Amino acid sequence: MKPQLYRPDRNILFAGLALFVFLSFFAGIGSGPLFDVDEGAFSEATREMLVSKNYLTTYLNGALRFDKPILIYWLQLLSIESFGINEFAFRLPSAIAATLWAGAIFFFVRRERNETEAILATALMALSLQVSIIAKAAIADAVLNLCLAVTLTALFTHWRTKRRSWIYIAFAAMGFGMLDKGPVAILIPVVVSFVFFLSQKELKAWFRAMLNPTAIALFLVIALPWYVLEYREQGQAFIDGFFMKHNIGRFEGSMEGHSGSLFYYIPVVLIGIMPSTGLLFGLFASLRQRLADPLWQFCLIWFAFVFVFFSLSGTKLPHYMIYGYTPLFILFGAALSKIERSWQLALWPTALLLLLAALPFALQHLMPSMDNLFIQAQLQGFLTEMAAIHFSLLMLAAAALCLLLQFAPVLAPSLRFIIGGAFLTFSFNFIAMPMAARVMQEPVKEAAQFARKEKLKIVMWKVYYPSFFVYSGSFAERRFPEPGDVVLTTIDRLEKLGPVERLYGRNGIMLVRMPTQPTSR
């Protein structure tokens, strides 16, 4: 006879879900330095907005920055004005947006399916490795994913209910998305909804929704004023910089260092949705039967478009794929609610934890083959940190707990899997990521604080660390150093500078002073 399974009541489930959201999105957001390049760039542009009082146009290191629209900077500005210039304040808007994004998933799935699937889908979203990273990152993507989730789930709900109020919600969210990240907030909902309505043979209904005058007016009221004002102030430079370079240009060509093959996003998805990777393969079972469900069709169209579009794009960045994760979590919640055995699904997060446990040994093996002094210094920094915190033992313990929990006889399989998967996510968030921050970014922060204390003017040479501007509270020139300059660079570049005075150095990040007179070489 099968043992009686423990099934928590609603209050316990909601408390557990709230705990997962807090640990994934909020816990520790102020404890680690900003990561470069993205976190440093967004945060510094916000800091410069605070100093300049120019709330229309963003600048980075004193130069125009057209990478993204204005919304994320306004949100970060509000946060640092409330909590000060620190990592917590810069990251708080993303954590709040991710929480609202989780709420959008929960309420949509509860409305369309049931409460059990809603809790599971939301928990899997909160535990996703990639989601938990961008939820704690001072960048624009958590806000965009919130807007995409609200827009597209509202469009589906409008299709089902035919209520116009959902169109207004969709267009309002689309307007905020346009204000946060630009045309991608329009492109994805328009294409996905078009293909879905076409598949349902309801194109007339789609055109009525998309051409609703009230909805369009709502979108324009939210999104248009900033674009008009920015164009009036910056003219063609705004068109060339924002639309041509950072939108059309990113699709047509590759940004420096951000190219990839047509299969680039396959490993990104497999790792990014961890611990839910095993559920992805289960979606293809009985696919023809499942496609009879309009919600399944909608979700698969949504994910497929994002995957194909960004796979064809010239510029490839891992977080682009997150735009298509919301529909996967919706489907995963449905699949997880029906599983009878969880250990096979847990093999994926367990395997990743075992790979992380083997990382110190791999780095030790790799070290002798590295000729670059900076890479050597960084790897040595990781090895030192890993030894100090017994990294491999912690990862092995997490892997053992993740797998052994799947055989706990009193827990329902879905609950076993969720709790087991949490060992991967929280090991990554509270052990691996803080360690990476200490090795890669803490030296930049310390060098900046040293420069600020000594009131040094800095030249950045062959490096680009925007977080340095945040922590130093000043700009830096980017050029070849001259006699007397104080230079931020990396250890592998020092030989080209000749004799220098070392002011600060850690993990290959160097702050040096050039001699006042040129030296003969």
Side-chain angles (χ1 to χ4, degrees):
M1 188 174 71
K2 290 184 178 181
Q4 184 70 31
L5 295 179
Y6 170 66
R7 299 185 184 277
D9 63 27
R10 290 179 76 244
N11 291 334
I12 294 177
L13 288 174
F14 281 119
L17 185 59
L19 179 63
F20 278 170
V21 167
F22 172 76
L23 292 175
S24 289
F25 300 163
F26 291 93
I29 62 173
S31 61
L34 300 168
F35 277 92
D36 287 309
V37 172
D38 286 349
E39 275 201 301
F42 277 95
S43 300
E44 171 58 14
T46 301
R47 187 193 71 84
E48 292 183 31
M49 181 179 289
L50 177 69
V51 172
S52 69
K53 309 300 181 187
N54 181 344
Y55 305 125
L56 181 66
T57 304
T58 53
Y59 291 82
L60 178 58
N61 198 30
L64 284 167
R65 173 176 167 83
F66 289 129
D67 292 49
K68 299 295 178 289
I70 202 67
L71 180 58
I72 186 59
Y73 303 105
W74 285 345
L75 296 174
Q76 288 185 345
L77 180 68
L78 180 63
S79 185
I80 63 173
E81 285 185 326
S82 301
F83 301 104
I85 298 176
N86 55 64
E87 293 91 351
F88 171 83
F90 284 122
R91 291 168 174 156
L92 183 60
S94 290
I96 294 172
T99 303
L100 296 174
W101 173 18
I105 291 175
F106 174 83
F107 288 112
F108 175 74
V109 176
R110 189 174 70 172
R111 187 170 60 246
E112 297 297 330
R113 304 284 295 188
N114 56 68
E115 190 168 272
T116 298
E117 291 185 21
I119 292 172
L120 294 175
T122 309
L124 293 174
M125 175 267 190
L127 291 177
S128 160
L129 282 186
Q130 269 193 295
V131 171
S132 67
I133 290 171
I134 69 157
K136 292 192 289 287
I139 58 177
D141 288 84
V143 175
L144 174 63
N145 277 285
L146 164 63
C147 295
L148 288 174
V150 173
T151 301
L152 280 154
T153 56
L155 288 173
F156 180 87
T157 307
H158 165 74
W159 168 82
R160 186 179 57 78
T161 65
K162 304 301 186 284
R163 290 173 56 188
R164 282 181 294 180
S165 58
W166 290 106
I167 286 295
Y168 305 148
I169 292 172
F171 272 67
M174 200 187 307
F176 285 115
M178 182 69 179
L179 201 58
D180 177 68
K181 201 77 185 272
V184 69
I186 302 174
L187 175 69
I188 294 174
V190 167
V191 174
V192 170
S193 61
F194 175 82
V195 175
F196 174 72
F197 276 70
L198 179 64
S199 71
Q200 304 301 310
K201 300 179 181 179
E202 295 189 36
L203 267 187
K204 288 184 178 179
W206 182 83
F207 279 108
R208 282 197 302 270
M210 292 297 110
L211 299 178
N212 182 293
T214 304
I216 293 173
L218 183 59
F219 170 86
L220 294 176
V221 165
I222 294 170
L224 190 60
W226 176 79
Y227 282 89
V228 171
L229 292 171
E230 184 70 349
Y231 176 72
R232 289 185 62 184
E233 180 170 301
Q234 300 298 330
Q236 190 62 34
F238 172 58
I239 302 298
D240 293 340
F242 177 73
F243 288 101
M244 302 307 296
K245 179 180 178 181
H246 287 289
N247 284 276
I248 296 173
R250 288 194 181 201
F251 181 79
E252 293 181 341
S254 168
M255 290 177 61
E256 184 178 355
H258 297 304
S259 60
S261 74
L262 196 63
F263 307 104
Y264 174 91
Y265 285 113
I266 292 177
V268 169
V269 172
L270 294 179
I271 296 173
I273 62 173
M274 283 279 188
S276 303
T277 307
L279 290 164
L280 179 66
F281 297 100
L283 296 183
F284 297 101
S286 305
L287 186 60
R288 181 176 296 181
Q289 178 182 351
R290 288 171 169 172
L291 283 177
D293 183 343
L295 180 59
W296 274 76
Q297 293 180 33
F298 182 76
C299 289
L300 291 176
I301 290 168
W302 182 350
F303 173 73
F305 173 71
V306 171
F307 186 86
V308 172
F309 178 80
F310 287 104
S311 293
L312 296 176
S313 173
T315 298
K316 292 180 171 64
L317 289 166
H319 60 264
Y320 288 169
M321 201 45 48
I322 304 176
Y323 308 158
Y325 281 1
T326 295
L328 291 183
F329 298 132
I330 293 169
L331 299 182
F332 290 164
L336 187 59
S337 68
K338 297 177 177 62
I339 65 163
E340 297 180 355
R341 291 184 299 273
S342 59
W343 69 268
Q344 293 169 310
L345 298 176
L347 291 177
W348 289 89
T350 301
L352 185 54
L353 284 165
L354 292 175
L355 287 174
L356 288 172
L359 189 57
F361 307 99
L363 294 182
Q364 287 177 341
H365 180 74
L366 193 63
M367 276 278 288
S369 64
M370 290 291 106
D371 296 327
N372 186 283
L373 291 177
F374 176 66
I375 295 176
Q376 286 181 5
Q378 291 270 292
L379 292 181
Q380 186 57 56
F382 274 107
L383 288 171
T384 301
E385 285 284 341
M386 288 173 173
I389 63 175
H390 305 291
F391 181 81
S392 291
L393 288 177
L394 290 173
M395 294 301 112
L396 285 172
L401 288 169
C402 178
L403 190 57
L404 290 175
L405 190 64
Q406 308 314 310
F407 301 97
V410 297
L411 294 177
S414 58
L415 193 58
R416 296 175 202 164
F417 177 72
I418 290 287
I419 298 174
F423 283 106
L424 168 65
T425 303
F426 297 147
S427 295
F428 193 84
N429 284 348
F430 298 121
I431 300 173
M433 286 297 288
M435 179 187 65
R438 289 193 297 271
V439 173
M440 299 167 62
Q441 294 299 145
E442 206 167 76
V444 178
K445 180 177 181 178
E446 291 175 350
Q449 291 172 333
F450 177 87
R452 184 170 193 155
K453 180 181 177 182
E454 299 297 324
K455 297 181 172 58
L456 300 174
K457 286 189 63 177
I458 302 299
V459 172
M460 277 192 187
W461 184 58
K462 298 290 186 178
V463 297
Y464 185 48
Y465 294 115
S467 68
F468 186 93
F469 310 138
V470 178
Y471 295 121
S472 67
S474 62
F475 300 155
E477 296 183 66
R478 300 183 67 197
R479 57 172 172 79
F480 188 83
E482 298 176 356
D485 282 339
V486 177
V487 184
L488 180 71
T489 189
T490 50
I491 194 169
D492 56 315
R493 312 286 184 184
L494 295 186
E495 185 178 352
K496 295 182 180 180
L497 295 180
V500 294
E501 177 189 358
R502 299 194 179 195
L503 303 177
Y504 172 88
R506 182 182 165 199
N507 295 342
I509 305 296
M510 307 299 299
L511 197 62
V512 301
R513 191 192 306 272
M514 299 289 291
T516 55
Q517 297 296 326
T519 57
S520 58
R521 301 185 187 180

